[in-house]
Amino acid sequence: MNNTGFDDWLDACVAQVQQALDTALPADNAAPARLHQAMRYAALGPGKRIRAALVYAAGEAALGSSAPNSAQTIALNHAAAAVELIHAYSLVHDDLPCMDDDTLRRGRPTVHVQYDEATAMLVGDALQALAFATLALAPVAPALVLQATQLLAHAAGSLGMVGGQAIDCASVGQALTRAQLEQMHQMKTGALLGASVLLGGVVTGAGSATRQALEAYAGAIGLAFQVADDILDVTASTATLGKTAGKDAAQHKPTYVSLLGLDVAQDLLRDLRSQAHTALRPLAGPARHLTQLADLIVDRGR
Ligand code: IPE
Ligand code: IPE
Ligand code: MG
Ligand code: MG
Ligand code: MG
């Protein structure tokens, strides 16, 4: 992949969403201070910010050759912060002893280890509420904010991420079919990644043809992201991941690697990359950062 310009663009996305998150989060001396310190610890930690980057890249693709106006720029920042807040909450709860029982996240102790379990649960609750409060402040037409809110709520809820996590919990030690595994992955991870892509389009006023292309792209990269995460759990080190490697096998989780083996899982990643690229064809040049993000997501797992 020729990364000329892409790495700088990605760094700028990270800086922009970090600023938006810092502004959205209550100060760490606001009462109750311990809760707010833990929320900031969870949300401002060194994540890759891929969901935020998808929001910005989809905004560019939807706007085509025009630059975003200042309201659209602010709306993209709010949408990017909102998806990263939902994601941060999902990680805090995913790591709890009653879920994956992890002690390391983003290279640091998980929230329940650094603070305590009750605080970690409340941090997740509060980050979720803050995500919607942040999205509601996007300065675009109320109809677009409403659509964006419905989209994010659907992706985060029992028909999306939370539903996928419920299936994950119920699937420990089970042999899922490929269709069941795909559904679990699309819900627990694909839904929020897909919402990130669509939110970038919605807040910039994308028309229906653009939304259709974004939806097709989102389906491919959403699944690819969790397939790559399954692969990395087997192939990468704890130091590289910033989370404990080898957890899926240790906890008897069904994954693409346990079901199909490493080689077939990697072949699937390549297929998903070409599906993502094909989906973007109608959007042409302005979708180049979406194309490069698909490559980044897939190349992590290869
Ligand atoms: C990890 O997501 C959880 C999954 C959905 C697989 P990321 O790999 O995006 O985590 P961060 O945000 O970079 O820490
Ligand atoms: C997490 O899947 C999906 C979420 C909704 C957080 P994993 O449990 O595989 O994520 P990691 O590997 O802990 O980051
Ligand atoms: Mg999990
Ligand atoms: Mg986990
Ligand atoms: Mg994982």
Side-chain angles (χ1 to χ4, degrees):
M1 166 165 77
N2 175 6
N3 268 336
T4 315
F6 178 66
D7 293 342
D8 290 343
W9 174 84
L10 199 53
D11 287 347
C13 292
V14 172
Q16 219 165 308
V17 75
Q18 202 71 10
Q19 175 65 52
L21 287 166
D22 186 42
T23 306
L25 286 155
D28 56 15
N29 59 0
R34 187 176 158 82
L35 175 66
H36 290 133
Q37 283 157 17
M39 286 168 68
R40 296 181 72 86
Y41 179 86
L44 296 173
K48 293 180 290 299
R49 307 300 184 206
I50 285 178
R51 292 156 190 79
L54 287 166
V55 171
Y56 294 121
E60 291 171 4
L63 286 164
S65 52
S66 12
N69 61 35
S70 63
Q72 287 166 332
T73 300
I74 297 168
L76 287 167
N77 286 333
H78 282 257
V83 293
E84 288 291 338
L85 288 166
I86 295 284
H87 171 56
Y89 128 63
S90 80
L91 296 179
V92 174
H93 283 189
D94 182 72
D95 290 334
L96 282 169
C98 59
M99 301 275 291
D100 290 352
D101 193 12
D102 271 303
T103 56
L104 190 70
R105 173 66 65 184
R106 295 177 168 171
R108 307 180 308 169
T110 46
V111 175
H112 65 272
V113 170
Q114 184 73 12
Y115 293 87
D116 55 75
E117 270 180 50
T119 300
M121 193 186 68
L122 295 171
V123 161
D125 296 341
L127 291 177
Q128 173 159 218
L130 185 62
F132 287 100
T134 303
L135 189 58
L137 289 175
V140 290
L144 296 183
V145 178
L146 189 58
Q147 277 178 41
T149 305
Q150 285 172 327
L151 218 148
L152 186 61
H154 186 266
S158 61
L159 298 172
M161 185 273 288
V162 167
Q165 290 286 66
I167 297 171
D168 183 295
C169 290
S171 302
V172 169
Q174 307 279 314
L176 298 187
T177 65
R178 187 163 169 174
Q180 288 169 326
L181 191 63
E182 180 173 329
Q183 190 197 22
M184 176 175 89
H185 279 27
Q186 282 290 12
M187 288 173 77
K188 78 171 183 175
T189 299
L192 189 57
L193 281 138
S196 307
V197 174
L198 289 170
L199 281 178
V202 166
V203 300
T204 51
S208 66
T210 300
R211 286 192 199 197
Q212 244 178 318
L214 293 178
E215 263 168 42
Y217 168 82
I221 57 109
L223 180 59
F225 194 92
Q226 187 63 44
V227 175
D229 186 77
D230 289 356
I231 291 172
L232 288 164
D233 187 77
V234 175
T235 59
S237 67
T238 297
T240 311
L241 292 176
K243 59 187 184 184
T244 310
K247 287 288 306 231
D248 294 333
Q251 291 179 320
H252 310 289
K253 299 260 187 184
T255 67
Y256 270 82
V257 178
S258 71
L259 183 72
L260 302 177
L262 195 52
D263 289 348
V264 179
Q266 285 174 328
D267 289 346
L268 172 64
L269 270 189
R270 279 184 278 270
D271 288 350
L272 291 168
R273 178 215 301 265
S274 55
Q275 279 176 38
H277 285 189
T278 304
L280 294 175
R281 254 183 231 145
L283 304 178
R288 76 182 184 288
H289 289 139
L290 286 177
T291 307
Q292 287 169 308
L293 284 167
D295 292 341
L296 176 68
I297 288 167
V298 164
D299 288 339
R300 286 184 72 232
R302 297 181 53 236

